[in-house]
Coordinates of all heavy atoms in Angstrom, one line a residue:
M1 N 39.0 2.8 -44.0 CA 37.7 2.1 -44.0 C 37.8 0.8 -44.9 O 38.4 0.9 -45.9 CB 36.6 3.0 -44.5 CG 35.2 2.3 -44.4 SD 34.0 3.3 -45.2 CE 34.0 4.8 -44.4
S2 N 37.3 -0.3 -44.4 CA 37.3 -1.5 -45.2 C 36.5 -1.4 -46.4 O 35.5 -0.6 -46.5 CB 36.9 -2.7 -44.4 OG 35.6 -2.5 -43.9
A3 N 36.8 -2.2 -47.5 CA 36.0 -2.1 -48.7 C 34.6 -2.6 -48.4 O 34.3 -3.5 -47.6 CB 36.7 -3.0 -49.7
C4 N 33.6 -2.0 -49.2 CA 32.2 -2.4 -49.0 C 32.0 -3.8 -49.6 O 32.6 -4.1 -50.6 CB 31.4 -1.4 -49.8 SG 31.6 0.3 -49.3
K5 N 31.2 -4.5 -48.9 CA 30.8 -5.9 -49.4 C 29.8 -5.7 -50.5 O 28.9 -4.9 -50.4 CB 30.2 -6.7 -48.3 CG 31.2 -7.1 -47.2 CD 30.5 -7.9 -46.1 CE 31.1 -7.6 -44.8 NZ 30.2 -7.0 -43.8
E6 N 29.9 -6.5 -51.5 CA 29.0 -6.5 -52.7 C 27.6 -6.9 -52.2 O 27.4 -7.8 -51.4 CB 29.4 -7.4 -53.8 CG 28.8 -7.0 -55.1 CD 29.5 -7.7 -56.3 OE1 30.6 -8.1 -56.1 OE2 28.9 -7.8 -57.3
N7 N 26.6 -6.2 -52.7 CA 25.2 -6.5 -52.3 C 24.9 -6.4 -50.8 O 24.0 -7.1 -50.3 CB 24.7 -7.8 -52.9 CG 24.8 -7.8 -54.4 OD1 24.5 -6.8 -55.0 ND2 25.2 -9.0 -55.0
D8 N 25.7 -5.6 -50.1 CA 25.5 -5.5 -48.7 C 24.2 -4.7 -48.4 O 24.0 -3.7 -49.0 CB 26.7 -4.8 -48.1 CG 26.7 -4.8 -46.6 OD1 26.0 -5.7 -46.0 OD2 27.3 -3.9 -45.9
E9 N 23.3 -5.3 -47.5 CA 22.0 -4.6 -47.3 C 21.8 -4.6 -45.8 O 22.2 -5.5 -45.1 CB 20.9 -5.4 -47.9 CG 20.9 -5.3 -49.4 CD 20.8 -3.9 -50.0 OE1 20.3 -3.0 -49.3 OE2 21.2 -3.7 -51.2
I10 N 21.1 -3.6 -45.3 CA 20.7 -3.5 -43.9 C 19.3 -4.0 -43.8 O 18.5 -4.0 -44.8 CB 20.8 -2.1 -43.3 CG1 20.1 -1.1 -44.2 CG2 22.2 -1.7 -43.0 CD1 20.0 0.3 -43.6
Q11 N 18.9 -4.5 -42.6 CA 17.6 -5.1 -42.4 C 17.0 -4.4 -41.1 O 17.7 -3.8 -40.3 CB 17.7 -6.6 -42.1 CG 18.4 -7.4 -43.2 CD 17.6 -7.3 -44.5 OE1 16.4 -7.2 -44.5 NE2 18.3 -7.4 -45.6
F12 N 15.7 -4.6 -40.9 CA 15.0 -4.1 -39.7 C 15.7 -4.8 -38.5 O 16.0 -6.0 -38.6 CB 13.5 -4.5 -39.7 CG 12.7 -3.6 -40.6 CD1 12.0 -4.1 -41.6 CD2 12.7 -2.2 -40.4 CE1 11.2 -3.3 -42.4 CE2 12.0 -1.4 -41.2 CZ 11.2 -1.9 -42.2
G13 N 16.0 -4.1 -37.5 CA 16.6 -4.6 -36.3 C 18.1 -4.5 -36.2 O 18.6 -4.8 -35.2
D14 N 18.7 -4.1 -37.3 CA 20.1 -3.9 -37.3 C 20.4 -2.8 -36.3 O 19.7 -1.8 -36.1 CB 20.7 -3.5 -38.7 CG 20.8 -4.7 -39.6 OD1 20.8 -5.8 -39.0 OD2 20.9 -4.5 -40.8
T15 N 21.6 -2.9 -35.7 CA 22.0 -1.9 -34.7 C 22.3 -0.5 -35.4 O 22.7 -0.5 -36.6 CB 23.3 -2.3 -33.9 OG1 24.3 -2.5 -34.9 CG2 23.0 -3.6 -33.2
P16 N 22.3 0.6 -34.7 CA 22.6 1.8 -35.3 C 24.1 1.8 -35.8 O 24.3 2.4 -36.9 CB 22.5 2.8 -34.1 CG 21.5 2.2 -33.2 CD 21.7 0.7 -33.3
S17 N 25.0 1.2 -35.2 CA 26.4 1.2 -35.7 C 26.5 0.4 -37.0 O 27.2 0.8 -37.9 CB 27.3 0.6 -34.6 OG 27.0 -0.7 -34.3
R18 N 25.7 -0.6 -37.1 CA 25.6 -1.4 -38.4 C 25.0 -0.5 -39.5 O 25.5 -0.5 -40.6 CB 24.8 -2.7 -38.2 CG 24.4 -3.4 -39.4 CD 25.5 -4.1 -40.1 NE 25.1 -4.7 -41.3 CZ 25.5 -4.3 -42.5 NH1 26.5 -3.4 -42.7 NH2 25.1 -4.9 -43.6
V19 N 24.0 0.2 -39.2 CA 23.4 1.1 -40.2 C 24.4 2.2 -40.6 O 24.5 2.5 -41.8 CB 22.1 1.7 -39.6 CG1 21.5 2.8 -40.6 CG2 21.0 0.6 -39.3
K20 N 25.1 2.7 -39.6 CA 26.1 3.7 -39.9 C 27.2 3.2 -40.8 O 27.6 3.8 -41.8 CB 26.6 4.3 -38.6 CG 27.4 5.5 -38.7 CD 27.9 6.0 -37.4 CE 28.8 7.1 -37.5 NZ 29.4 7.5 -36.2
E21 N 27.6 2.0 -40.5 CA 28.6 1.4 -41.3 C 28.2 1.2 -42.8 O 28.9 1.5 -43.7 CB 29.0 0.0 -40.7 CG 30.0 -0.8 -41.5 CD 30.0 -2.3 -41.2 OE1 29.0 -3.0 -41.5 OE2 30.9 -2.8 -40.6
W22 N 26.9 0.7 -42.9 CA 26.4 0.5 -44.3 C 26.3 1.9 -45.0 O 26.7 2.0 -46.2 CB 25.0 -0.1 -44.2 CG 24.2 -0.2 -45.4 CD1 24.3 -1.2 -46.4 CD2 23.3 0.8 -46.0 NE1 23.4 -0.9 -47.4 CE2 22.8 0.3 -47.2 CE3 22.8 2.0 -45.6 CZ2 21.9 0.9 -48.0 CZ3 21.8 2.7 -46.4 CH2 21.4 2.1 -47.6
L23 N 25.8 2.9 -44.3 CA 25.7 4.2 -44.9 C 27.0 4.8 -45.3 O 27.2 5.3 -46.5 CB 24.9 5.1 -44.0 CG 24.6 6.5 -44.5 CD1 23.8 6.5 -45.8 CD2 23.9 7.4 -43.5
N24 N 28.0 4.7 -44.5 CA 29.3 5.2 -44.8 C 29.9 4.5 -46.0 O 30.6 5.1 -46.8 CB 30.2 5.1 -43.6 CG 29.9 6.2 -42.5 OD1 29.4 7.2 -42.9 ND2 30.3 5.9 -41.3
C25 N 29.6 3.2 -46.0 CA 30.1 2.4 -47.1 C 29.5 2.9 -48.5 O 30.2 3.1 -49.5 CB 29.8 1.0 -46.9 SG 31.0 -0.1 -47.6
K26 N 28.2 3.0 -48.5 CA 27.5 3.5 -49.7 C 28.0 4.9 -50.1 O 28.2 5.1 -51.3 CB 26.0 3.5 -49.5 CG 25.4 2.2 -49.3 CD 25.5 1.3 -50.5 CE 24.9 0.0 -50.3 NZ 25.2 -1.0 -51.4
L27 N 28.1 5.8 -49.1 CA 28.5 7.1 -49.5 C 30.0 7.2 -50.0 O 30.3 7.9 -50.9 CB 28.4 8.0 -48.3 CG 27.0 8.3 -47.8 CD1 26.9 9.1 -46.5 CD2 26.1 8.9 -48.9
S28 N 30.8 6.3 -49.5 CA 32.2 6.3 -49.9 C 32.3 5.7 -51.3 O 33.2 6.1 -52.1 CB 33.1 5.5 -49.0 OG 32.7 4.1 -49.0
E29 N 31.3 4.8 -51.7 CA 31.3 4.3 -53.1 C 31.1 5.5 -54.1 O 31.7 5.5 -55.2 CB 30.2 3.3 -53.3 CG 30.6 1.9 -52.7 CD 29.4 1.0 -52.9 OE1 28.3 1.4 -53.0 OE2 29.7 -0.2 -53.0
N30 N 30.2 6.4 -53.7 CA 29.9 7.6 -54.5 C 29.5 7.3 -55.9 O 29.9 8.0 -56.8 CB 31.1 8.5 -54.4 CG 30.7 9.9 -54.7 OD1 29.5 10.3 -54.4 ND2 31.6 10.7 -55.2
K31 N 28.8 6.2 -56.1 CA 28.4 5.8 -57.5 C 27.0 6.3 -57.8 O 26.7 6.5 -59.0 CB 28.4 4.3 -57.6 CG 29.7 3.6 -57.6 CD 29.6 2.1 -57.7 CE 30.9 1.5 -57.6 NZ 30.8 0.0 -57.3
Q32 N 26.1 6.4 -56.8 CA 24.7 6.8 -57.1 C 24.4 8.0 -56.3 O 24.9 8.3 -55.2 CB 23.8 5.6 -56.7 CG 24.0 4.4 -57.5 CD 23.2 3.2 -56.9 OE1 22.2 3.5 -56.2 NE2 23.6 2.0 -57.1
K33 N 23.4 8.8 -56.9 CA 22.9 10.0 -56.1 C 22.0 9.6 -55.0 O 21.8 10.4 -54.1 CB 22.3 10.9 -57.1 CG 23.3 11.6 -58.1 CD 22.6 12.6 -59.0 CE 23.7 13.3 -59.8 NZ 23.0 14.2 -60.8
V34 N 21.3 8.4 -55.2 CA 20.4 8.0 -54.2 C 20.6 6.5 -53.9 O 20.8 5.7 -54.8 CB 18.9 8.2 -54.8 CG1 17.9 7.5 -53.9 CG2 18.6 9.6 -54.9
Y35 N 20.6 6.2 -52.6 CA 20.7 4.8 -52.1 C 19.4 4.4 -51.4 O 18.9 5.1 -50.6 CB 21.9 4.6 -51.2 CG 23.2 4.8 -51.9 CD1 23.9 5.9 -51.9 CD2 23.7 3.7 -52.7 CE1 25.1 6.1 -52.6 CE2 24.9 3.8 -53.4 CZ 25.6 5.0 -53.3 OH 26.8 5.1 -54.0
V36 N 19.0 3.2 -51.7 CA 17.8 2.6 -51.1 C 18.2 1.4 -50.2 O 18.8 0.5 -50.7 CB 16.7 2.2 -52.2 CG1 15.5 1.6 -51.5 CG2 16.4 3.4 -53.0
A37 N 17.7 1.4 -49.0 CA 17.9 0.3 -48.1 C 16.8 -0.7 -48.5 O 15.7 -0.6 -48.0 CB 17.9 0.7 -46.7
R38 N 17.2 -1.8 -49.2 CA 16.2 -2.7 -49.7 C 15.4 -3.4 -48.5 O 14.2 -3.7 -48.6 CB 16.8 -3.8 -50.6 CG 17.5 -3.3 -51.8 CD 18.0 -4.4 -52.6 NE 16.9 -5.2 -53.3 CZ 16.4 -4.9 -54.5 NH1 16.9 -3.8 -55.1 NH2 15.4 -5.6 -55.0
G39 N 16.1 -3.6 -47.5 CA 15.5 -4.3 -46.3 C 14.5 -3.5 -45.6 O 13.8 -4.0 -44.8
W40 N 14.6 -2.2 -45.8 CA 13.7 -1.3 -45.1 C 12.5 -0.8 -46.0 O 11.5 -0.3 -45.5 CB 14.4 0.0 -44.6 CG 15.4 -0.3 -43.5 CD1 15.8 -1.5 -43.0 CD2 16.1 0.7 -42.7 NE1 16.6 -1.3 -42.0 CE2 16.9 0.0 -41.8 CE3 16.1 2.1 -42.7 CZ2 17.7 0.7 -40.8 CZ3 16.9 2.8 -41.8 CH2 17.7 2.1 -40.9
C41 N 12.7 -0.9 -47.3 CA 11.8 -0.4 -48.3 C 10.6 -1.3 -48.3 O 10.7 -2.5 -48.5 CB 12.4 -0.3 -49.7 SG 11.2 0.1 -51.0
K42 N 9.3 -0.7 -48.2 CA 8.1 -1.6 -48.3 C 7.5 -1.5 -49.6 O 6.3 -1.9 -49.8 CB 7.1 -1.2 -47.2 CG 6.6 0.2 -47.3 CD 5.7 0.6 -46.1 CE 5.2 2.0 -46.2 NZ 4.7 2.5 -44.9
R43 N 8.2 -1.0 -50.6 CA 7.7 -1.0 -52.0 C 6.4 -0.2 -52.2 O 5.6 -0.5 -53.0 CB 7.5 -2.4 -52.5 CG 8.8 -3.2 -52.8 CD 9.4 -3.7 -51.6 NE 10.4 -4.8 -52.0 CZ 11.5 -5.0 -51.3 NH1 11.8 -4.3 -50.2 NH2 12.3 -6.0 -51.6
C44 N 6.2 0.9 -51.5 CA 5.0 1.7 -51.6 C 4.9 2.6 -52.8 O 3.9 2.9 -53.3 CB 4.8 2.5 -50.3 SG 6.0 3.9 -50.1
G45 N 6.1 3.0 -53.3 CA 6.2 3.8 -54.5 C 5.9 5.3 -54.3 O 5.9 6.0 -55.3
I46 N 5.8 5.7 -53.1 CA 5.6 7.1 -52.8 C 6.7 8.0 -53.4 O 6.5 9.0 -54.0 CB 5.4 7.4 -51.3 CG1 4.1 6.8 -50.8 CG2 5.4 8.9 -51.0 CD1 3.9 6.8 -49.3
C47 N 8.0 7.5 -53.1 CA 9.1 8.3 -53.6 C 9.1 8.5 -55.1 O 9.4 9.5 -55.6 CB 10.4 7.7 -53.1 SG 10.6 5.9 -53.6
V48 N 8.7 7.4 -55.8 CA 8.7 7.4 -57.2 C 7.7 8.4 -57.7 O 7.9 9.3 -58.6 CB 8.4 6.0 -57.8 CG1 8.3 6.1 -59.3 CG2 9.4 5.0 -57.3
A49 N 6.5 8.4 -57.1 CA 5.4 9.3 -57.5 C 5.8 10.8 -57.2 O 5.3 11.7 -58.0 CB 4.1 9.0 -56.7
F50 N 6.5 11.1 -56.2 CA 6.8 12.5 -55.8 C 8.1 13.0 -56.4 O 8.3 14.2 -56.2 CB 6.8 12.6 -54.3 CG 5.4 12.8 -53.7 CD1 4.6 11.7 -53.4 CD2 4.9 14.0 -53.5 CE1 3.3 11.8 -52.9 CE2 3.6 14.2 -52.9 CZ 2.8 13.1 -52.7
C51 N 8.9 12.2 -57.0 CA 10.2 12.8 -57.6 C 9.8 13.8 -58.6 O 9.1 13.5 -59.6 CB 11.0 11.7 -58.2 SG 12.4 12.3 -59.0
P52 N 10.2 15.0 -58.5 CA 9.8 16.1 -59.4 C 10.3 15.9 -60.9 O 9.8 16.6 -61.8 CB 10.3 17.4 -58.8 CG 11.5 16.9 -58.0 CD 11.2 15.6 -57.5
V53 N 11.4 15.2 -61.0 CA 11.9 15.0 -62.4 C 11.8 13.6 -62.9 O 12.5 13.2 -63.9 CB 13.4 15.5 -62.4 CG1 13.4 17.0 -62.2 CG2 14.3 14.8 -61.4
K54 N 11.1 12.7 -62.2 CA 10.9 11.3 -62.6 C 12.2 10.6 -62.7 O 12.5 9.9 -63.7 CB 10.1 11.2 -63.9 CG 8.8 12.0 -63.9 CD 7.8 11.3 -63.0 CE 6.5 12.1 -62.9 NZ 5.8 12.0 -61.6
A55 N 13.1 10.8 -61.7 CA 14.4 10.1 -61.7 C 14.4 8.8 -61.0 O 15.5 8.2 -60.9 CB 15.4 11.1 -61.1
L56 N 13.3 8.3 -60.5 CA 13.2 7.0 -59.9 C 12.4 6.1 -60.7 O 11.3 6.4 -61.1 CB 12.6 7.2 -58.4 CG 13.5 7.9 -57.4 CD1 12.7 8.2 -56.2 CD2 14.8 7.2 -57.1
E57 N 12.9 4.9 -60.8 CA 12.2 3.8 -61.4 C 12.2 2.6 -60.5 O 12.9 2.7 -59.4 CB 12.8 3.4 -62.8 CG 12.7 4.5 -63.8 CD 12.9 4.1 -65.2 OE1 13.4 3.0 -65.4 OE2 12.6 4.9 -66.1
R58 N 11.4 1.6 -60.7 CA 11.4 0.4 -59.8 C 11.9 -0.8 -60.5 O 11.5 -1.1 -61.6 CB 9.9 0.3 -59.3 CG 9.4 1.5 -58.6 CD 8.0 1.5 -58.3 NE 7.7 0.8 -57.1 CZ 6.5 0.6 -56.6 NH1 5.4 1.1 -57.3 NH2 6.3 -0.1 -55.5
D59 N 12.6 -1.6 -59.7 CA 13.1 -2.9 -60.3 C 12.0 -4.0 -60.2 O 10.8 -3.7 -59.9 CB 14.4 -3.3 -59.6 CG 14.2 -3.7 -58.1 OD1 13.0 -3.9 -57.7 OD2 15.2 -3.8 -57.4
E60 N 12.3 -5.2 -60.6 CA 11.3 -6.2 -60.7 C 10.7 -6.6 -59.4 O 9.6 -7.1 -59.3 CB 11.9 -7.5 -61.3 CG 13.1 -8.2 -60.6 CD 14.4 -7.4 -60.7 OE1 14.6 -6.5 -61.5 OE2 15.3 -7.9 -59.9
E61 N 11.3 -6.2 -58.3 CA 10.7 -6.4 -56.9 C 10.0 -5.2 -56.4 O 9.5 -5.2 -55.3 CB 11.8 -6.9 -56.0 CG 12.4 -8.2 -56.3 CD 13.6 -8.6 -55.4 OE1 13.9 -7.9 -54.4 OE2 14.2 -9.7 -55.6
G62 N 10.0 -4.1 -57.2 CA 9.3 -2.9 -56.8 C 10.1 -1.9 -56.0 O 9.6 -0.9 -55.5
V63 N 11.4 -2.2 -55.8 CA 12.3 -1.4 -55.1 C 12.8 -0.3 -56.0 O 13.3 -0.6 -57.2 CB 13.5 -2.1 -54.5 CG1 14.4 -1.2 -53.8 CG2 13.0 -3.2 -53.6
P64 N 12.7 1.0 -55.6 CA 13.2 2.1 -56.5 C 14.7 2.1 -56.7 O 15.4 1.7 -55.8 CB 12.7 3.3 -55.8 CG 12.4 3.0 -54.4 CD 12.1 1.5 -54.4
Y65 N 15.1 2.6 -57.8 CA 16.5 2.9 -58.1 C 16.5 4.2 -58.9 O 15.6 4.6 -59.5 CB 17.2 1.8 -58.8 CG 16.7 1.5 -60.2 CD1 17.2 2.1 -61.3 CD2 15.6 0.6 -60.4 CE1 16.7 1.9 -62.6 CE2 15.1 0.3 -61.7 CZ 15.6 0.9 -62.8 OH 15.1 0.7 -64.0
V66 N 17.7 4.9 -58.7 CA 17.8 6.2 -59.3 C 18.4 6.2 -60.7 O 19.3 5.4 -61.0 CB 18.7 7.1 -58.4 CG1 20.1 6.7 -58.4 CG2 18.5 8.6 -58.7
L67 N 18.0 7.1 -61.5 CA 18.6 7.4 -62.8 C 19.5 8.6 -62.6 O 19.0 9.7 -62.5 CB 17.5 7.7 -63.9 CG 16.5 6.6 -64.1 CD1 15.4 7.1 -65.0 CD2 17.1 5.3 -64.6
N68 N 20.8 8.3 -62.4 CA 21.7 9.3 -62.0 C 21.7 10.6 -62.9 O 21.9 11.7 -62.4 CB 23.1 8.7 -62.0 CG 23.6 8.3 -60.6 OD1 23.0 8.7 -59.6 ND2 24.6 7.5 -60.5
D69 N 21.6 10.3 -64.2 CA 21.7 11.5 -65.1 C 20.5 12.4 -65.0 O 20.6 13.6 -65.4 CB 21.7 10.9 -66.6 CG 23.0 10.2 -66.8 OD1 24.0 10.4 -66.0 OD2 23.1 9.5 -67.8
I70 N 19.4 11.9 -64.4 CA 18.2 12.8 -64.3 C 18.0 13.4 -62.9 O 17.6 14.5 -62.8 CB 16.9 12.0 -64.7 CG1 17.0 11.4 -66.1 CG2 15.7 12.8 -64.5 CD1 15.9 10.5 -66.5
C71 N 18.4 12.7 -61.9 CA 18.3 13.1 -60.5 C 19.0 14.5 -60.3 O 20.1 14.7 -60.7 CB 18.9 12.1 -59.6 SG 19.0 12.6 -57.8
I72 N 18.3 15.4 -59.6 CA 18.9 16.7 -59.3 C 19.2 16.8 -57.8 O 19.5 17.9 -57.3 CB 17.9 17.8 -59.7 CG1 16.5 17.6 -59.1 CG2 17.7 17.9 -61.2 CD1 15.5 18.8 -59.3
S73 N 19.2 15.7 -57.1 CA 19.6 15.7 -55.7 C 18.8 16.7 -54.8 O 19.3 17.3 -54.0 CB 21.1 16.0 -55.5 OG 21.8 15.0 -56.1
C74 N 17.5 16.8 -55.1 CA 16.6 17.7 -54.4 C 16.3 17.3 -53.0 O 16.0 18.1 -52.2 CB 15.3 18.0 -55.2 SG 14.2 16.5 -55.2
G75 N 16.3 16.0 -52.8 CA 16.1 15.5 -51.4 C 14.7 15.1 -51.1 O 14.3 14.6 -50.0
T76 N 13.8 15.3 -52.1 CA 12.3 15.0 -51.8 C 12.1 13.6 -51.4 O 11.4 13.3 -50.5 CB 11.5 15.4 -53.1 OG1 11.7 16.7 -53.4 CG2 10.0 15.1 -52.9
C77 N 12.7 12.7 -52.1 CA 12.5 11.2 -51.9 C 13.0 10.9 -50.5 O 12.3 10.1 -49.8 CB 13.2 10.4 -52.9 SG 15.0 10.7 -53.1
E78 N 14.1 11.4 -50.0 CA 14.6 11.1 -48.7 C 13.6 11.7 -47.6 O 13.3 11.0 -46.6 CB 16.0 11.7 -48.5 CG 16.5 11.4 -47.1 CD 18.0 11.9 -46.9 OE1 18.8 11.7 -47.9 OE2 18.3 12.4 -45.9
I79 N 13.1 12.9 -47.8 CA 12.2 13.5 -46.9 C 10.8 12.7 -46.8 O 10.2 12.5 -45.8 CB 11.9 15.0 -47.2 CG1 13.2 15.7 -47.0 CG2 10.8 15.5 -46.4 CD1 13.2 17.1 -47.6
I80 N 10.4 12.3 -48.0 CA 9.0 11.8 -48.1 C 8.9 10.3 -47.8 O 7.8 9.8 -47.4 CB 8.4 12.1 -49.5 CG1 7.0 12.4 -49.4 CG2 8.8 11.0 -50.5 CD1 6.4 13.1 -50.6
C81 N 10.0 9.5 -47.8 CA 9.9 8.1 -47.6 C 9.4 7.8 -46.1 O 10.1 8.2 -45.2 CB 11.2 7.4 -47.8 SG 11.2 5.7 -47.3
P82 N 8.3 7.2 -45.9 CA 7.8 6.9 -44.5 C 8.7 5.9 -43.8 O 8.6 5.8 -42.6 CB 6.4 6.4 -44.8 CG 6.4 5.8 -46.1 CD 7.4 6.6 -46.9
D83 N 9.5 5.2 -44.5 CA 10.4 4.2 -43.8 C 11.8 4.6 -43.7 O 12.7 3.7 -43.3 CB 10.2 2.9 -44.6 CG 8.8 2.3 -44.4 OD1 7.9 2.8 -45.0 OD2 8.7 1.4 -43.6
H84 N 12.1 5.8 -44.0 CA 13.5 6.3 -44.0 C 14.5 5.3 -44.7 O 15.6 5.1 -44.3 CB 14.0 6.4 -42.5 CG 13.1 7.3 -41.6 ND1 13.1 8.6 -41.8 CD2 12.2 6.9 -40.7 CE1 12.2 9.1 -40.9 NE2 11.6 8.1 -40.3
A85 N 14.0 4.9 -45.9 CA 14.7 3.9 -46.6 C 15.6 4.5 -47.7 O 16.2 3.7 -48.5 CB 13.8 2.8 -47.2
I86 N 15.5 5.8 -47.9 CA 16.2 6.4 -49.0 C 17.2 7.4 -48.5 O 16.9 8.2 -47.5 CB 15.3 7.1 -50.0 CG1 14.7 6.1 -51.0 CG2 16.0 8.2 -50.8 CD1 14.1 6.7 -52.2
V87 N 18.4 7.4 -49.0 CA 19.4 8.4 -48.7 C 19.9 9.1 -50.0 O 20.3 8.4 -50.9 CB 20.7 7.8 -48.0 CG1 21.7 8.8 -47.7 CG2 20.3 7.0 -46.7
V88 N 19.8 10.4 -50.0 CA 20.4 11.2 -51.1 C 21.8 11.5 -50.8 O 22.1 12.3 -49.8 CB 19.5 12.5 -51.3 CG1 20.1 13.3 -52.5 CG2 18.1 12.1 -51.6
S89 N 22.7 11.0 -51.5 CA 24.1 11.0 -51.1 C 24.7 12.4 -51.0 O 25.4 12.7 -50.0 CB 25.0 10.2 -52.0 OG 24.8 10.6 -53.3
E90 N 24.3 13.3 -51.9 CA 24.9 14.7 -51.8 C 24.4 15.4 -50.6 O 25.2 16.1 -50.0 CB 24.5 15.4 -53.1 CG 25.2 16.7 -53.3 CD 24.9 17.3 -54.6 OE1 25.1 16.7 -55.7 OE2 24.4 18.5 -54.6
L91 N 23.2 15.3 -50.2 CA 22.6 15.9 -49.0 C 23.3 15.4 -47.8 O 23.7 16.1 -46.9 CB 21.1 15.7 -48.9 CG 20.3 16.3 -50.0 CD1 18.8 16.0 -49.7 CD2 20.5 17.8 -50.1
K92 N 23.5 14.1 -47.7 CA 24.1 13.5 -46.6 C 25.6 14.0 -46.4 O 26.0 14.3 -45.4 CB 24.1 12.0 -46.7 CG 24.5 11.2 -45.5 CD 23.6 11.5 -44.2 CE 22.3 10.9 -44.4 NZ 21.4 11.3 -43.2
A93 N 26.3 14.1 -47.6 CA 27.6 14.5 -47.5 C 27.7 16.0 -47.0 O 28.6 16.3 -46.2 CB 28.3 14.4 -48.9
K94 N 26.7 16.8 -47.4 CA 26.7 18.2 -47.0 C 26.5 18.3 -45.4 O 27.1 19.0 -44.7 CB 25.6 19.0 -47.6 CG 25.9 19.5 -49.0 CD 24.8 20.3 -49.6 CE 25.0 20.6 -51.0 NZ 23.7 21.0 -51.7
K95 N 25.6 17.4 -44.9 CA 25.3 17.4 -43.5 C 26.5 17.0 -42.7 O 26.8 17.5 -41.7 CB 24.1 16.4 -43.2 CG 22.8 17.0 -43.6 CD 21.7 15.9 -43.2 CE 20.4 16.3 -44.0 NZ 19.5 15.1 -44.0
V96 N 27.2 16.0 -43.2 CA 28.4 15.5 -42.6 C 29.5 16.6 -42.6 O 30.1 16.8 -41.5 CB 29.0 14.2 -43.3 CG1 30.3 13.9 -42.7 CG2 28.0 13.1 -43.0
R97 N 29.6 17.3 -43.7 CA 30.6 18.4 -43.8 C 30.4 19.5 -42.8 O 31.3 20.1 -42.3 CB 30.7 18.9 -45.2 CG 31.6 18.1 -46.2 CD 32.0 18.9 -47.3 NE 30.9 19.3 -48.2 CZ 30.4 18.6 -49.2 NH1 30.9 17.4 -49.4 NH2 29.4 19.0 -49.9
K98 N 29.1 19.8 -42.6 CA 28.7 20.9 -41.7 C 29.1 20.6 -40.2 O 29.3 21.5 -39.4 CB 27.2 21.1 -41.7 CG 26.8 22.1 -42.9 CD 25.3 22.3 -42.8 CE 24.8 23.1 -44.0 NZ 23.4 23.1 -44.1
K99 N 29.2 19.3 -39.8 CA 29.4 18.9 -38.4 C 30.9 19.1 -38.1 O 31.7 19.1 -38.9 CB 29.0 17.5 -38.2 CG 27.5 17.4 -38.1 CD 27.1 15.9 -37.9 CE 25.6 15.8 -37.9 NZ 25.1 14.5 -37.9
Ligands
LIG1 S1 8.9 5.7 -50.3 FE1 10.4 4.5 -49.2 S2 9.4 2.6 -48.7 FE2 8.2 3.6 -50.4 S3 9.1 2.7 -52.3 FE3 10.2 4.6 -51.8 S4 12.0 3.9 -50.6 FE4 10.5 2.3 -50.6
LIG2 S1 16.8 13.5 -54.9 FE1 15.0 14.5 -55.9 S2 15.5 14.3 -58.1 FE2 16.7 12.8 -57.1 S3 15.5 10.9 -57.0 FE3 15.1 11.9 -55.1 S4 13.3 13.2 -55.5 FE4 14.1 12.6 -57.5

């Protein structure tokens, strides 16, 4: 797989194959427990409010980011995001391994 481009982001209207490429790239980086698609996030804050351990904070634009040391990879944020803009990397890896 080719190296991930820095600050690579998906946007509304991107093709499924483009989204898959972005996701695979993020998961292969394996740096964060949670990845947020900035172009899909509407900055509603629901994920931040529902995280059971307060592992999500918001940047200056209101987009959430994870505090890796606190996140327990429970998956709540991924399930609850109305825009499918969050991926919990450990859960995604498990799903891929099962296939
Ligand atoms: S719930 Fe989804 S759309 Fe709302 S702030 Fe979180 S990632 Fe963004
Ligand atoms: S996976 Fe769970 S603990 Fe981690 S940021 Fe999401 S809701 Fe919080």
Side-chain angles (χ1 to χ4, degrees):
M1 183 189 302
S2 60
C4 303
K5 294 179 213 118
E6 199 166 342
N7 299 324
D8 189 21
E9 294 297 341
I10 49 173
Q11 304 296 332
F12 284 122
D14 280 343
T15 62
S17 62
R18 166 73 185 115
V19 174
K20 192 175 172 189
E21 176 198 70
W22 174 85
L23 182 57
N24 283 336
C25 209
K26 293 294 179 190
L27 294 176
S28 69
E29 285 180 331
N30 203 26
K31 289 180 183 164
Q32 295 173 25
K33 290 183 175 174
V34 169
Y35 289 100
V36 178
R38 298 183 72 87
W40 289 10
C41 171
K42 65 184 175 199
R43 284 78 164 151
C44 66
I46 291 173
C47 56
V48 178
F50 277 84
C51 174
V53 293
K54 306 292 177 213
L56 291 170
E57 295 196 346
R58 300 169 83 178
D59 67 16
E60 63 283 352
E61 293 178 3
V63 178
Y65 62 91
V66 70
L67 302 174
N68 261 346
D69 291 345
I70 299 176
C71 173
I72 56 173
S73 298
C74 68
T76 301
C77 54
E78 182 175 316
I79 292 166
I80 213 162
C81 173
D83 290 76
H84 306 287
I86 279 199
V87 177
V88 179
S89 57
E90 193 173 298
L91 296 182
K92 188 61 70 183
K94 276 184 194 162
K95 283 180 198 161
V96 169
R97 275 200 297 272
K98 274 185 189 167
K99 286 181 183 171

